[in-house]
Amino acid sequence: MNRFLEISFNKSSYFPDELITGYVQLSSSTQIIINEITLSIYLLENWIELTSVPTGDSNKKLLLSINLDIKKKLNIHTNLVNLIPGIFKFPFEFKLPVMVNPCFEFPAKEKKGYIRYSVDAQILSPYIQGATSTYIIFKSRPKMNNKDNKPLYTSSIDIYKWGMISEGNTTLSASLYNNETNIKYGEVINFNVDIDNKNGKLVANEIKVVLMRKIDFKKISSNEIKDSINNDCAVQKFKTLVNPGEKKTFNFFIALKDMDKNTFDLKNEKLPYTNINDISFFLPSLNSPIIDCTYTLRVTLYFDSFVQYKHRPRVYIPINICHQKVEEYMPYYLNNNNNYQNYNNYQNNNNYQNNNNYQNNNNYQNNNNYQNNNNNINNINIINNNNQDNINEIDNELPDREDVEHLNNNNGQENIDAPPLCEAPAPILGLNNNIPNNQNNQNNYININNINDYNNQP
């Protein structure tokens, strides 16, 4: 059975600077009279910490509001349109006026945060009310301004066995393959390690590599960080046998597969998306007015004798986890970069509204004559509901736990393919006022246009 009003997209997910296409389907079993259907796109950001006194912040902004121009599509030149019973599909296409962050979900037990995008359709009519809402998934592009990133990260430190006995000096250097810090979700991080042990007296026998994630929840009014969450997403050790007086180079990789399979329990989480194969898809690098998510690759060198934490060579490499490789984005970037602001300047642009279209919608009743009809068309708001279901608490690892950790991760994992993108159905938490409200008896309808030839067209 068809719902009265539905929104469908031609793709399951989009990049923010892509052309977004789809259609709004109106299915009515009775004759109805309408003037227009509007489409509005909202940014919904929220975080909350569930304590005895819950704290949090939220941010909601209108990004774009457009008319579907149904009269033009139906070739009708009157103010009101009389639709006979049937199914009508009104196509749409638009681009967002600014770049936005990708979608984000952090559904932990006591600390939750999300960035979502709602698309609302609303009927404008003096006789009926109808509206619906769905979510649209936005993915992240790679950052294109990596010129300031260091190609090589180096730590040279004096080594002390048991914190007391001097064992010379050892240098650890690490770099990403091709110096590329953009890592596509679901793939691997390739990196090189150089160990200079010419002046060292201990055997440098292994490195420990940790992909660390840090999430900051902020107050939108002050940009003050109110809470931070740290996770070790991937942890692996690699053998690096470098004797005193030697210098060697190694090539390794770690896979970004199932990073959060033990971090969240999604069984009781009412997320607005179905078919989520890996929640890590919704945890890319980003910087928003209230949520930051950053990744760092930590590489630590170990020896055949105990060396305290502060005397181990260690480097930190920033990583940008996104949904596209640079080589995949480059052709589109070169052709369209002049049309949009750079994604990295997103936070500096707070004007999300398409003022002309929005103003036109606000003036709708002033600009249309409904033949002495004084009925008001109600504004319909999105219901923004924060899921507060219980899931497993995150165990945040402290840096000095390296002293007692002995992990049995194997080197040489096979490459993996990124999991398929999930679909975005009608939102569980969004607006669904989808039943038309006939305010007048059908006999009182004004017979303006009888659209027989448009019924049931694709």
Side-chain angles (χ1 to χ4, degrees), residues 168-314:
N169 180 281
T170 302
T171 300
L172 169 70
S173 299
S175 61
L176 297 172
Y177 179 73
N178 286 339
N179 300 323
E180 182 52 66
T181 61
N182 292 291
I183 308 298
K184 185 177 179 180
Y185 151 82
E187 296 199 348
V188 300
I189 303 176
N190 293 287
F191 58 98
N192 307 314
V193 172
D194 295 315
I195 300 174
D196 186 348
N197 205 20
K198 290 181 178 180
N199 297 319
K201 300 177 183 179
L202 296 179
V203 176
N205 60 352
E206 69 178 8
I207 60 168
K208 179 184 176 183
V209 182
V210 181
L211 178 64
M212 303 184 299
R213 176 171 60 217
K214 184 174 184 284
I215 295 175
D216 293 328
F217 291 148
K218 303 179 294 184
K219 295 295 290 184
I220 190 171
S221 58
S222 62
N223 206 37
E224 177 188 2
I225 297 176
K226 304 301 293 184
D227 195 11
S228 294
I229 304 168
N230 295 280
N231 299 116
D232 290 348
C233 302
V235 181
Q236 194 165 344
K237 286 186 177 181
F238 300 93
K239 294 299 180 182
T240 58
L241 183 59
V242 184
N243 294 313
E246 292 183 336
K247 180 179 180 180
K248 291 184 179 179
T249 299
F250 303 88
N251 301 314
F252 300 115
F253 70 86
I254 60 173
L256 305 185
K257 183 179 181 181
D258 297 328
M259 292 194 306
D260 295 290
K261 65 179 180 180
N262 298 319
T263 306
F264 308 102
D265 181 5
L266 302 180
K267 293 181 180 179
N268 296 320
E269 281 294 325
K270 296 179 181 178
L271 298 176
Y273 314 109
T274 60
N275 303 326
I276 297 179
N277 297 320
D278 186 359
I279 190 63
S280 301
F281 175 88
F282 290 98
L283 288 164
S285 302
L286 58 84
N287 176 260
S288 87
I290 68 171
I291 299 175
D292 291 346
C293 181
T294 57
Y295 289 88
T296 304
L297 194 69
R298 185 182 71 204
V299 182
T300 307
L301 183 61
Y302 286 78
F303 300 88
D304 61 345
S305 296
F306 177 73
V307 176
Q308 289 182 335
Y309 178 86
K310 63 181 179 179
H311 294 304
R312 299 179 195 138
R314 184 180 295 105

Side-chain angles (χ1 to χ4, degrees), residues 26-69:
L26 190 156
S27 304
S28 179
S29 59
T30 61
Q31 185 183 23
I32 59 174
I33 295 179
I34 66 175
N35 175 271
E36 183 60 276
I37 298 176
T38 64
L39 208 63
S40 301
I41 299 88
Y42 288 91
L43 161 69
L44 308 171
E45 293 182 292
N46 182 277
W47 69 266
I48 188 169
E49 183 177 1
L50 298 174
T51 58
S52 57
V53 181
T55 59
D57 207 346
S58 62
N59 181 30
K60 175 182 176 181
K61 288 193 176 182
L62 176 66
L63 303 179
L64 180 68
S65 185
I66 60 174
N67 294 328
L68 297 189
D69 292 328

